[in-house]
Amino acid sequence: MLRDRWNSCACSQLGPASQLFRALIRSRQVEPASESGREPGLGSGSSWQQADFQKEPKKKKQQLSVCNKLCYAVGGAPYQVTGCALGFFLQIYLLDVAQVGPFSASIILFVGRAWDAITDPLVGFCISKSSWTCLGRLMPWIIFSTPLAVIAYFLIWFVPDFPQGQTYWYLLFYCLFETLVTCFHVPYSALTMFISTEQTERDSATAYRMTVEVLGTVLGTAIQGQIVGQADMPCFQDHNSSAEASQSTNRTHYITSHRETQNAYLLAAGVIASIYVICAVILTLGVRERREPYEAQQTEPIAYFQGLRLVMSHGPYIKLITGFLFTSLAFMLVEGNFVLFCTYTLGFRNEFQNLLLAIMLSATFTIPIWQWFLTRFGKKTAVYVGISSAVPFLILVALMESNLIVTYVVAVAAGISVAAAFLLPWSMLPDVIDDFHLKQPHFHGTEPIFFSFYVFFTKFASGVSLGISTLSLDFAGYQTLSCSQPERVKFTLNMLVTMAPIVLILLGLLLFKLYPIDEERRRQNKKALQALR
C-alpha cells in the first residue's frame, strides 16, 4: 500500500512522457493475469511479470483465526441439537406420550418434513433477493428467526388438553418450527462461501463446523435421551388390558408416570432451546460476513429463476446431490426408527439413550480423522471408504441375536460412518460452487440456491421415508403403550433399520462414480479462482 502511494505521488510530479511510460508498464503487468484467468497455469510473459502476479493472491489471502472458525462452527449446533432430538424422539413421543395414532403420526411426520423441504428453496429465493446490510446479507435472517424458532420448538413438546385437536397442534408447530429453523440454517450454510475466499480455509472451517455439529448431536442425544430416560414411562404387558388397567387402582400410578414423562420432554426442550439461543449469539458476535471481491464489482444479482436454471443444469451439482440423496436417506431411516428398534426389536428399553450416545461420541472423535483422510487421499475416496464402512455392521445387526455388548460395538463402529456422512456433503458443496463460478463468472448470488436445494432434496426424501416407515408400523399392527410388539412390527423395524439403508447406501455409492470433481480438477479450479479474484 505504501509502495502504491509513493508511486502515485512520484508519478504526479513527473512529466507526461514518464506518466505515459508507467501506464504502458502497468498495462503489460495486467495482461498475464487476465490470460491466466482464462487459462489457469498457462501465463505468458516474462518471469518478473509472473512473479508479480503470483504475489497478488498471497496479499489478499484471508486467514481465519481459530476463534473465527470456532464461532462459525458453533452456529451449526442449533440445527443439529434440535434436529437430533426431533429425529430420534419425535416418532416415539407422538406414539407413546402424546398418544397420537400411528396413521396421524405418519401424517405429522411426512407433512412436517415435506413442508420443511419446500421452505428451503423458498427461503433461498428470499435470501437471494435480500440486500446487503451493515450485518451482511445472511446474518439478519439468522438473528431475527432465532427467538421465534425457540418458542415453536418448545411448543412441539407440549401436550395440549384437547385430544381431538392434537394432530393439528403438532402439525402447526412442527411446520412453523421447521420454517423458522430453515431461515437460520440456509443462510448459515451459505455463509461458508462468505467467511473466506480460500478453499483451504473454508475446508478447515467446515471441519470445525462438522465437529461441532456432531458434538451438537451428542448434546442433543445426551440431553433428550438422559432426561427422558430417567422418566418412568408406563406400558402394558398386554395391550387388551389397558382399558382394565385404566379403571383399576393402577390408574393413579399411570397418570403420575405419564405426567412425569411429559414434564421430562418439556425440560429437555427448555434446555435445548437455551443452547439454541447461546449458539446463535456466539455466531452473530464472532463471525463477519465477507463479500466476494469480484462480486462487489457487479451491479445486479442474477434473477432467482435464471440462477435456479443454471444451478440445476450444472452437472457436478446434480451428480453430487443425487448420490448424497440416497446415502442421507439411509442414515435418516436408521435415525428415525432407531429408538423403536432398540426398544422393541432388540429389547433394550432402558439402554437406547446410551446406545445413541455411543454412536454420536464415536462420530465426534472420528471427524478429525476423516478431515485428515480427505486431505490426504481425496474427497471421493473418503466417500467410498467412509460411507461403505456402515454396511457390514448393518448386516451384523440384521443377522445377530439380541446381545447388548455386540450392539455397543456395532454402535461405536456405526458412528465412524456417521462422521463421514456428516462431513463430506458440506465439504464437497463449496467445490461444486467454485466450479460453477468458473463456468459462470458473471453471475453471483447463487450460493443460497445451491445449499437450499441440496437440503430440499434430502429433507423431502426424509419426510417420505419417515411417513412410509410410520405407516408401515401401522399396517404391521403397532400397539401404543405396549411393553412388547407383534412379530410383524419387530420384523418391519428390522428391515427399516438394516436392509433398506444397505440398499440405499449401495445405490448412492454407484452414483458417486459419475461425480467429476477430483483432486486434480480442484487444484485447477483453485488457481483459476485466484486469478479471477
Side-chain angles (χ1 to χ4, degrees):
M1 183 182 294
L2 290 175
R3 186 189 64 184
D4 294 340
R5 190 175 297 170
W6 183 88
N7 287 338
S8 63
C9 293
C11 184
S12 64
Q13 295 174 3
L14 294 175
S18 299
Q19 294 184 27
L20 178 61
F21 175 76
R22 292 181 62 85
L24 289 172
I25 291 294
R26 286 180 179 174
S27 66
R28 292 198 54 175
Q29 287 177 338
V30 172
E31 233 177 332
S34 62
E35 290 174 3
S36 180
R38 289 190 295 270
E39 297 184 37
L42 298 176
S44 60
S46 61
S47 59
W48 66 268
Q49 289 172 327
Q50 293 177 357
D52 185 64
F53 167 69
Q54 291 171 358
K55 287 180 183 177
E56 272 305 306
K58 292 183 180 179
K59 283 174 62 180
K60 297 182 180 179
K61 188 173 181 179
Q62 296 173 351
Q63 293 284 353
L64 296 175
S65 67
V66 173
C67 181
N68 290 142
K69 294 175 184 177
L70 285 174
C71 289
Y72 166 73
V74 164
Y79 182 77
Q80 295 302 331
V81 172
T82 55
C84 182
L86 290 168
F88 281 121
F89 292 94
L90 184 58
Q91 186 184 47
I92 195 171
Y93 169 81
L94 292 174
L95 293 172
D96 288 352
V97 179
Q99 298 183 25
V100 176
F103 179 77
S104 297
S106 67
I107 296 297
I108 293 169
L109 292 171
F110 169 71
V111 174
R113 288 296 181 96
W115 174 251
D116 185 22
I118 293 170
T119 57
D120 282 286
L122 290 177
V123 171
F125 171 77
C126 295
I127 292 173
S128 68
K129 295 297 183 182
S130 300
S131 302
W132 279 83
T133 68
C134 59
L135 298 173
R137 188 173 63 182
L138 305 174
M139 279 297 186
W141 289 83
I142 294 172
I143 294 170
F144 293 113
S145 66
T146 295
L148 298 175
V150 166
I151 295 172
Y153 178 79
F154 186 81
L155 291 176
I156 291 174
W157 303 102
F158 177 77
V159 180
D161 293 332
F162 39 91
Q164 299 301 324
Q166 282 188 346
T167 301
Y168 301 104
W169 173 278
Y170 292 115
L171 193 58
L172 170 65
F173 286 107
Y174 189 29
C175 291
L176 180 60
F177 171 73
E178 294 294 358
T179 302
L180 293 167
V181 80
T182 297
C183 292
F184 182 102
H185 190 62
V186 168
Y188 172 73
S189 300
L191 191 61
T192 308
M193 302 301 298
F194 295 96
I195 57 175
S196 176
T197 59
E198 292 294 321
Q199 282 185 356
T200 54
E201 291 298 300
R202 293 201 306 256
D203 285 345
S204 176
T206 299
Y208 276 80
R209 170 190 167 186
M210 291 302 110
T211 303
V212 173
E213 287 196 358
V214 176
L215 280 171
T217 63
V218 172
L219 201 57
T221 303
I223 293 171
Q224 192 83 11
Q226 297 301 320
I227 293 177
V228 171
Q230 298 302 316
D232 181 21
M233 181 62 196
C235 65
F236 302 108
Q237 295 297 333
D238 179 53
H239 186 68
N240 294 326
S241 67
S242 59
E244 300 174 6
S246 65
Q247 298 173 4
S248 68
T249 55
N250 291 330
R251 179 177 176 82
T252 303
H253 172 70
Y254 164 76
I255 294 175
T256 303
S257 299
H258 193 256
R259 178 59 64 183
E260 287 178 358
T261 304
Q262 293 178 5
N263 292 336
Y265 274 97
L266 285 176
L267 176 61
V271 175
I272 289 175
S274 301
I275 294 172
Y276 193 118
V277 174
I278 293 171
C279 292
V281 170
I282 293 174
L283 172 66
T284 304
L285 297 179
V287 175
R288 185 167 69 89
E289 189 177 344
R290 304 173 188 269
R291 206 168 185 176
E292 283 278 15
Y294 63 86
E295 180 185 333
Q297 299 172 3
Q298 307 290 334
T299 57
E300 289 290 334
I302 186 173
Y304 180 79
F305 290 104
Q306 182 187 3
L308 179 60
R309 181 178 57 81
L310 290 173
V311 167
M312 290 304 167
S313 62
H314 190 56
Y317 179 66
I318 297 300
K319 292 166 185 173
L320 182 71
I321 63 173
T322 306
F324 277 121
L325 177 65
F326 285 96
T327 56
S328 299
L329 184 55
F331 287 101
M332 288 174 184
L333 269 177
V334 176
E335 178 189 72
N337 297 281
F338 187 78
V339 174
L340 291 173
F341 176 73
C342 289
T343 302
Y344 297 116
T345 303
L346 298 181
F348 302 140
R349 175 178 287 273
N350 298 321
E351 289 291 334
F352 70 84
Q353 67 269 23
N354 297 324
L355 288 167
L356 288 174
L357 201 56
I359 293 174
M360 295 308 170
L361 284 173
S362 172
T364 302
F365 291 131
T366 50
I367 282 280
I369 298 174
W370 285 119
Q371 174 64 18
W372 169 83
F373 188 94
L374 67 87
T375 55
R376 177 68 177 82
F377 299 102
K379 296 180 181 180
K380 287 187 71 172
T381 305
V383 167
Y384 296 133
V385 175
I387 295 179
S388 64
S389 63
V391 173
F393 297 104
L394 291 174
I395 294 174
L396 180 61
V397 170
L399 300 178
M400 74 175 186
E401 295 292 332
S402 179
N403 185 298
L404 185 58
I405 296 177
V406 175
T407 305
Y408 269 107
V409 173
V410 170
V412 172
I416 298 173
S417 188
V418 169
F422 262 88
L423 174 64
L424 290 166
W426 301 110
S427 180
M428 297 170 78
L429 267 175
D431 298 336
V432 173
I433 297 173
D434 285 343
D435 190 76
F436 176 84
H437 283 162
L438 287 175
K439 289 182 171 58
Q440 306 289 345
H442 301 296
F443 298 111
H444 67 276
T446 56
E447 292 84 2
I449 301 176
F450 276 99
F451 286 98
S452 62
F453 269 88
Y454 166 71
V455 179
F456 165 78
F457 288 117
T458 55
K459 284 182 177 179
F460 187 81
S462 170
V464 172
S465 69
L466 275 177
I468 292 176
S469 62
T470 309
L471 203 57
S472 301
L473 295 177
D474 187 25
F475 291 147
Y478 182 87
Q479 297 176 353
T480 303
L481 290 179
S482 180
C483 292
S484 61
Q485 297 292 338
E487 288 300 319
R488 287 194 306 169
V489 174
K490 295 179 181 179
F491 176 78
T492 302
L493 286 169
N494 201 346
M495 292 298 101
L496 291 172
V497 173
T498 57
M499 299 311 298
I502 289 172
V503 173
L504 291 168
I505 286 173
L506 294 178
L507 286 173
L509 292 178
L510 285 174
L511 290 169
F512 275 118
K513 294 289 290 182
L514 305 175
Y515 180 66
I517 301 179
D518 54 13
E519 294 307 299
E520 178 61 28
R521 184 160 168 178
R522 284 184 68 231
R523 284 191 288 269
Q524 292 175 356
N525 288 350
K526 181 179 179 179
K527 292 178 181 178
L529 280 171
Q530 286 177 342
L532 180 64
R533 285 163 178 152

